[in-house]
Amino acid sequence: MKKSLIYLFIIFNLFSCIDSEEAIIPKELVGKWEKDFNVEGDSWKVTFIFHSNGNYENFSTRTIQTEALQPGIMGYSLGNYSKREGRLVLSDIRSFYAEDLSNPPSQASLLKEQLEWIIPDEIAEFSLEQNNTLLMLTFLGCNDVLIPRSLANCLPPTPVTYTRVLE
């Protein structure tokens, strides 16, 4: 009996020392965040929408028409988000893309789902600035999900500032 109590005590102490990776939904992120990009005459808007239930959506939209390119939704992803060890984690990611990059659709429901590979969790350092109106995201690692895959560009982690959209 005494040995059983000692073993029980040892097992209890082992499990109490293991860090639990508790996922917390960062309520301060709830809402819509946008960033405008201009790359070689092609204008884009990237939008993150963080919902209070822990789900998120991300849209990449071409915003300006040129002679060869039409505006529309180029890519869309959705999944879950949480805060672990002070970092933003995007998980259970599903990604959709425009099959015709020169004439993308105006609705996410018309995009094609990417099913060729498993999308890894994306991890980012984040901070809120200027009274929670700016979100600084620095994605760590190479998590580019582009089609075809040869277009992926694994750049060093760079902070990107998103502005809260007040509706």
Side-chain angles (χ1 to χ4, degrees):
M1 177 75 173
K2 195 171 187 179
K3 280 186 177 183
S4 296
L5 287 174
I6 291 172
Y7 287 128
L8 187 61
F9 178 75
I10 291 171
I11 290 171
F12 176 76
N13 281 330
L14 282 174
F15 283 107
S16 66
C17 292
I18 296 173
D19 283 339
S20 64
E21 196 173 295
E22 183 179 340
I24 301 167
I25 297 172
K27 299 294 185 195
E28 65 271 23
L29 294 183
V30 171
K32 187 175 186 178
W33 303 86
E34 293 183 337
K35 168 72 177 169
D36 292 316
F37 292 92
N38 191 341
V39 180
E40 299 177 10
D42 197 2
S43 294
W44 294 60
K45 179 175 293 213
V46 175
T47 305
F48 276 98
I49 303 171
F50 295 103
H51 301 282
S52 61
N53 64 359
N55 294 332
Y56 82 93
E57 297 176 86
N58 174 243
F59 294 87
S60 295
T61 307
R62 181 180 293 127
T63 56
I64 295 179
Q65 181 175 345
T66 66
E67 285 183 31
L69 303 172
Q70 298 297 313
I73 302 172
M74 302 293 290
Y76 170 71
S77 62
L78 65 132
N80 299 318
Y81 74 99
S82 61
K83 181 178 173 181
R84 291 190 199 131
E85 299 177 3
R87 292 183 169 159
L88 176 66
V89 178
L90 304 181
S91 58
D92 302 320
I93 301 168
R94 293 177 57 205
S95 180
F96 303 80
Y97 64 95
E99 291 183 272
D100 181 355
L101 297 179
S102 63
N103 188 19
S106 60
Q107 298 174 9
S109 62
L110 299 174
L111 298 171
K112 182 175 180 175
E113 185 168 8
Q114 182 288 119
L115 298 171
E116 295 174 11
W117 63 86
I118 295 172
I119 301 171
D121 289 356
E122 294 190 17
I123 299 171
E125 294 176 345
F126 77 97
S127 64
L128 292 164
E129 299 179 5
Q130 294 188 11
N131 201 24
N132 294 338
T133 60
L134 298 179
L135 170 62
M136 298 288 292
L137 284 178
T138 305
F139 282 96
L140 309 173
C142 180
N143 294 317
D144 287 345
V145 178
L146 294 174
I147 306 223
R149 191 70 172 150
S150 61
L151 294 176
N153 185 10
C154 298
L155 299 173
T158 304
V160 176
T161 304
Y162 294 84
T163 303
R164 184 184 293 274
V165 176
L166 301 174
E167 298 178 298

